[in-house]
Amino acid sequence: MTASRKLAVFRLPPLPTIGEIIRLYNLRAEKQLSQNFLLDMRLAGNCDTFFLCADKIVRQAGSLSNAHVCEVGPGPGGITRSILSAGAADLLVVEKDTRFIPGLQLLAEAAPGKVRIVHGDILTYKMERGFPQKLARKWDDEPPDVHIIGNLPFSVSTPLIIKWLENISNRDGPFVYGRTRLTLTFQKEVAERLTASTGSRQRSRLSVMAQSLCSVKSCFTIPGRAFVPKPQVDVGVVHFTPLVQPQIGQPFKLVEKVVRNVFQFRRKHCRRGIEMLFPEARRLELTEQMLRTADVDPTLRPTELSVPHFRNLSDAYSRLCSDNPGLLAYDFRDELRKKRRSTCIKEEEEVL
């Protein structure tokens, strides 16, 4: 109890402010890396005082007392300080940009034994090696005391969450420890897509993939003026808790293929996207069979399809793939390219 209480009331010694760190190390946010620093710990509104800050982001993760945390892209360390102040026992920070390492080392020295720094790319870092295996829990148990928190650069946020969703489906990567929770920032538009309900204008491939595997919660929006440099959009904070039982039982790549094809024609009836799953020679036949088996109305728009609709479609497509070897590997773009090449060859022959 005493050790736990000490962790909960841990306070960092006096340190330079984030603004001073930025000036001290002559740090600039790189536009090509989509970097934005969360600078203000507090923001004063026109009427009320409100907190849209590192502390508030960290609170969305739940209790971090004695927790093991991986922070993605800590930058100058604003959120890092809040994680430590929340009582984390072990903080692993993964930072790709060399310029931020000296400032993070300063923070590690101020919190002896608590901070580990990895200079690397989170897209390739082997998170399954980041924490002791003794922290692992069974998938149907409560989530482990392992958290991922990050203020993600816009350029990496979508590929990274897709990668982690696939890890959830396969129960590997950060999810070898169990149902590891994530608290992440996204461009507001992406955050809205992740949490969009059936029928909403923001409904997308991301909505279906995330909600089929996780409980997804939109936490709050951070105004762009909280960041330096100020981005042209606001930022949304989203919390993910992997589901004990995914809503769609098929392999991730199969589900993602079905969902991606349907949403590529988001303004048309869902039938249009489903057709592109099949070779032209059997397109109409197999489309009818898939829709009939899935019991899905072909005139529904992609945004009107619920996760159960996509579950039925994925199950039906899986059966068709079993009955038709090679179908899963089919990509209509390859067939289209071959057709174009053939047309070009014929035209050249006619000229000759």
Side-chain angles (χ1 to χ4, degrees):
M1 283 295 290
T2 304
S4 177
R5 188 176 295 117
K6 284 182 179 179
L7 283 168
V9 298
F10 175 79
R11 292 292 180 267
L12 287 165
L15 289 166
T17 66
I18 296 300
E20 289 168 343
I21 288 287
I22 291 172
R23 289 190 293 273
L24 178 64
Y25 294 104
N26 194 28
L27 300 174
R28 290 174 178 265
E30 295 289 347
K31 188 174 182 179
Q32 62 266 34
L33 297 178
S34 303
Q35 291 176 336
N36 300 95
F37 305 150
L38 183 59
L39 186 59
D40 292 336
M41 297 302 284
R42 296 187 180 190
L43 296 174
N46 292 331
C47 301
D48 301 314
T49 299
F50 58 97
F51 295 86
L52 293 173
C53 59
D55 286 343
K56 189 170 181 181
I57 292 173
V58 170
R59 283 200 296 272
Q60 306 310 309
S63 173
L64 295 186
S65 179
N66 207 31
H68 298 256
V69 181
C70 175
E71 185 189 357
V72 180
I79 294 176
T80 315
R81 298 181 187 209
S82 294
I83 294 171
L84 289 169
S85 296
D90 176 31
L91 174 55
L92 172 68
V93 296
V94 182
E95 177 55 64
K96 182 178 181 179
D97 196 328
T98 307
R99 299 172 305 146
F100 297 123
I101 301 301
L104 293 171
Q105 289 172 338
L106 182 69
L107 196 52
E109 291 168 5
K114 289 180 177 290
V115 180
R116 293 178 289 136
I117 301 170
V118 172
H119 181 205
D121 188 342
I122 191 62
L123 285 169
T124 57
Y125 178 67
K126 302 293 185 183
M127 187 83 73
E128 60 271 26
R129 303 174 187 171
F131 298 103
Q133 285 301 313
K134 65 181 181 181
L135 298 174
R137 292 185 180 177
K138 293 181 180 178
W139 194 261
D140 53 359
D141 286 347
E142 288 298 306
D145 217 2
V146 177
H147 299 259
I148 298 175
I149 300 174
N151 173 31
L152 304 179
F154 295 160
S155 61
V156 77
S157 61
T158 298
L160 185 56
I161 194 60
I162 288 292
K163 177 180 184 292
W164 279 338
L165 289 172
E166 184 168 8
N167 288 148
I168 291 172
S169 178
N170 297 331
R171 301 184 185 182
D172 59 14
F175 306 96
V176 295
Y177 308 104
R179 295 185 296 121
T180 301
R181 289 160 288 184
L182 307 101
T183 307
L184 306 168
T185 64
F186 298 89
Q187 186 175 337
K188 184 182 177 184
E189 181 183 352
V190 176
E192 289 174 344
R193 289 176 184 173
L194 284 162
T195 57
S197 58
T198 304
S200 71
R201 186 169 56 87
Q202 293 86 1
R203 187 76 165 171
S204 69
R205 172 183 69 124
L206 281 178
S207 317
V208 177
M209 297 307 298
Q211 293 168 30
S212 68
L213 290 162
C214 298
S215 169
V216 188
K217 175 188 173 186
S218 176
C219 301
F220 63 96
T221 301
I222 306 174
R225 67 180 183 275
F227 296 86
V228 174
K230 178 184 174 182
Q232 295 180 347
V233 295
D234 293 336
V235 172
V237 179
V238 183
H239 182 77
F240 304 80
T241 303
L243 298 171
V244 172
Q245 187 65 42
Q247 293 197 59
I248 302 177
Q250 298 297 333
F252 182 88
K253 290 191 183 300
L254 183 148
V255 178
E256 199 274 337
K257 183 181 180 183
V258 171
V259 176
R260 174 167 33 85
N261 273 269
V262 170
F263 273 101
Q264 72 178 321
F265 300 106
R266 61 181 295 115
R267 295 180 183 276
K268 298 185 180 294
H269 294 155
C270 66
R271 179 192 178 98
R272 181 72 181 90
I274 292 170
E275 287 176 349
M276 307 316 290
L277 289 166
F278 306 111
E280 188 174 14
R282 301 188 64 195
R283 187 162 289 162
L284 295 179
E285 170 204 348
L286 294 178
T287 299
E288 291 288 351
Q289 189 174 340
M290 179 169 165
L291 285 164
R292 186 170 56 252
T293 303
D295 192 24
V296 170
D297 182 349
T299 65
L300 289 174
R301 310 283 181 186
T303 56
E304 296 174 314
L305 296 177
S306 64
V307 172
H309 280 135
F310 278 105
R311 178 178 61 234
N312 293 346
L313 288 169
S314 298
D315 289 345
Y317 183 61
S318 176
R319 293 192 200 103
L320 287 172
C321 289
S322 296
D323 295 339
N324 298 271
L327 182 58
L328 184 59
Y330 170 77
D331 187 332
F332 77 92
R333 295 176 186 83
D334 293 336
E335 187 173 28
L336 192 58
R337 280 191 288 268
K338 289 177 182 177
K339 185 180 292 186
R340 285 173 178 169
R341 280 197 297 268
S342 177
T343 301
C344 289
I345 291 170
K346 286 180 181 178
E347 288 175 353
E348 289 174 0
E349 289 174 345
E350 289 173 2
V351 170
L352 293 173

